[in-house]
Amino acid sequence: MFCTLNTHKVDMEKLLGGQIGLEDFIFAHTKGQRKEVEVLKSEEALGLTITDNGAGYAFIKRIKEGSVIDRVPLIGVGDMIEAINGRSLVGARHYDVARALKELPRGRTFALQLTEPRKAFDMISQRTAGGRGGGTALGSGRGTLRLRAHGPATVEEQPSAFEERAIAKVDDLLESYMGIRDTELAATMVELGRDARDPDALAQALDSQLGDFAFPDEFVFDVWGAIGDAKAGRC
């Protein structure tokens, strides 16, 4: 289903993405129990944050406390979203799933077909920096292995302080506007917008590379502002 870095737990903040530290451990989470849950959309916002593994499977990354989904005990973080009302979502990206959930009519009941991750290795504690042990160093530890959909993996330096701040801000905006978190997408947007002189220039850059997202103008303006704040060192 998905992999986590340095922890056996279903911790969606530790999902394996496009970058792997040279000393990281990877834990694979396999399919567990399938379930179908009916949910009444009593509010516009369901309280879900969606992510995916880049291979056609979308997952629940976060559930907002007190939200519609939080009140459904059978739904949990790490659940794979297979279908909504019988419509298969296998192969869809996380933003497609978020859009499908957002478009569901308020006041109506809908069915979620889910698969939860198999729970195992409960006796294993999370790996920490202090538990890496001795041995020969493989390098400075600051390099990352970047996985690409096309082409070979490459070892790159970690993002600069500006890039880290900007990516975190843009990732927060993605969650706020679209209900997704995607650091790779955020990093691409920061790369496209770091030299944009104004929101219009950023919008043109995003349309040229990420036009399928059809980002609204207010979102683009906020992204431009977030990148500017990160450049200035503002939190």
Side-chain angles (χ1 to χ4, degrees):
M1 290 176 64
F2 55 84
C3 296
T4 51
L5 287 177
N6 303 325
T7 177
H8 68 287
K9 298 179 180 179
V10 181
D11 185 345
M12 306 305 280
E13 300 299 327
K14 301 291 181 63
L15 281 178
L16 171 63
Q19 294 184 345
I20 309 172
L22 296 178
E23 296 181 355
D24 285 330
F25 281 133
I26 301 173
F27 291 83
H29 299 261
T30 59
K31 292 182 180 181
Q33 181 179 354
R34 299 184 68 183
K35 52 194 177 183
E36 181 168 329
V37 184
E38 290 193 348
V39 180
L40 172 64
K41 190 176 182 181
S42 56
E43 303 172 20
E44 282 298 329
L46 293 171
L48 280 179
T49 298
I50 309 297
T51 189
D52 66 53
N53 63 359
Y57 296 102
F59 307 91
I60 297 174
K61 184 173 184 178
R62 186 178 297 112
I63 298 175
K64 184 178 180 180
E65 186 175 356
S67 65
V68 172
I69 295 298
D70 189 44
R71 297 193 289 270
V72 184
L74 287 178
I75 300 176
V77 169
D79 286 354
M80 181 174 71
I81 303 176
E82 292 191 349
I84 300 175
N85 289 332
R87 172 193 166 195
S88 176
L89 293 170
V90 175
R93 293 302 309 271
H94 53 317
Y95 43 82
D96 295 321
V97 177
R99 185 182 301 114
L101 289 168
K102 187 175 183 179
E103 291 174 350
L104 291 170
R106 183 174 179 177
R108 300 282 294 275
T109 298
F110 65 95
L112 276 177
Q113 288 78 43
L114 307 167
T115 298
E116 65 182 36
R118 187 183 303 277
K119 296 175 177 62
F121 307 116
D122 289 338
M123 73 294 295
I124 301 177
S125 60
Q126 181 167 333
R127 183 173 181 257
T128 62
R132 290 182 177 178
T136 303
L138 296 178
S140 67
R142 299 185 64 243
T144 59
L145 180 65
R146 185 177 179 89
L147 303 180
R148 303 179 184 276
H150 304 286
T154 58
V155 176
E156 299 178 354
E157 288 298 310
Q158 288 183 338
S160 66
F162 150 68
E163 290 169 332
E164 288 183 343
R165 287 194 300 269
I167 290 169
K169 286 175 175 289
V170 174
D171 201 26
D172 288 342
L173 288 172
L174 284 170
E175 181 175 26
S176 176
Y177 276 86
M178 302 177 63
I180 63 173
R181 295 192 77 89
D182 189 330
T183 54
E184 288 295 304
L185 176 59
T188 299
M189 296 176 72
V190 170
E191 183 177 347
L192 291 171
R194 63 187 306 158
D195 297 322
R197 64 186 182 278
D198 54 41
D200 288 339
L202 174 59
Q204 292 177 4
L206 293 177
D207 286 343
S208 67
Q209 299 293 324
L210 303 169
D212 290 343
F213 287 90
F215 295 121
D217 291 341
E218 61 270 22
F219 173 73
V220 174
F221 184 83
D222 284 348
V223 169
W224 181 71
I227 294 173
D229 287 344
K231 284 181 180 178
R234 293 189 291 267
C235 297

